[in-house]
Amino acid sequence: GHGVAHSLNLLANLMYYQRGNLQEAERLYQRSLDIRERYYMRHSDRVAQTLHNLASLARAQGMEDRAEALYKECLEIRRDLAGVTHPETQRTAEQLVVLYRAQGRTEQLTRMQAMISAWRRQSSADVSAHWLREVVPFQLPAGLGRMP
């Protein structure tokens, strides 16, 4: 089940990044995806991870349309499951930026960069709010809040 899919995904990473064997990496990623879809359903973080890997591989093979479709599906899943402030969601969006820049698609590039910037501002605000709530202890100034 899912352990086999994880191992296949790791082996595909090895074939792709260390050995440069793109065809074998694609075969292994695809097998991992097939297993993960059956085990987790299509809309899961594990499937999104494999879609991201397949998209990167497609881009390396010059299959930019396939890469874009896979990155977009991965982004949709990650945005739904983890939110726009999650680093993996933003990492997938950044890969679309790289793809759009390489293709000279300035309209899509500008739109994606604006989205990422908005997400980062939101993320920064979330971190600041968390810091204020959790790190800065709330204390009333001396003399306030006491009963007479």
Side-chain angles (χ1 to χ4, degrees):
H2 64 281
V4 172
H6 180 72
S7 296
L8 288 169
N9 204 57
L10 291 175
L11 187 57
N13 286 342
L14 173 72
M15 288 294 159
Y16 177 27
Y17 293 107
Q18 293 184 7
R19 301 261 169 90
N21 187 339
L22 305 186
Q23 287 75 27
E24 183 63 10
E26 183 173 14
R27 188 181 71 76
L28 293 167
Y29 282 140
Q30 194 60 54
R31 281 189 57 206
S32 174
L33 180 63
D34 293 344
I35 293 169
R36 284 179 165 177
E37 283 180 318
R38 275 182 281 161
Y39 191 82
Y40 295 109
M41 299 181 310
R42 183 80 174 183
H43 210 76
S44 72
D45 64 327
R46 300 295 178 157
V47 167
Q49 176 191 32
T50 307
L51 291 172
H52 185 98
N53 292 341
L54 277 166
S56 297
L57 184 63
R59 197 176 81 221
Q61 293 172 313
M63 300 185 318
E64 294 178 343
D65 289 344
R66 176 169 160 74
E68 181 181 11
L70 291 165
Y71 280 136
K72 283 182 169 181
E73 184 176 1
C74 175
L75 182 60
E76 181 183 330
I77 293 169
R78 286 181 164 170
R79 194 171 38 208
D80 288 351
L81 296 179
V84 297
T85 60
H86 194 278
E88 292 299 318
T89 304
Q90 292 183 16
R91 189 168 72 96
T92 299
E94 288 164 358
Q95 291 306 307
L96 279 166
V97 164
V98 169
L99 184 68
Y100 294 149
R101 184 176 291 124
Q103 294 175 327
R105 294 168 62 188
T106 54
E107 184 181 326
Q108 291 89 346
L109 172 67
T110 303
R111 194 173 336 138
M112 187 60 65
Q113 286 175 322
M115 269 191 346
I116 293 170
S117 293
W119 296 348
R120 289 200 172 125
R121 282 191 303 276
Q122 182 179 341
S123 179
S124 181
D126 290 349
V127 168
S128 297
H130 172 78
W131 185 81
L132 285 171
R133 277 193 314 273
E134 303 297 326
V135 178
V136 178
F138 180 75
Q139 295 178 344
L140 286 173
L144 288 181
R146 291 191 190 149
M147 298 295 286

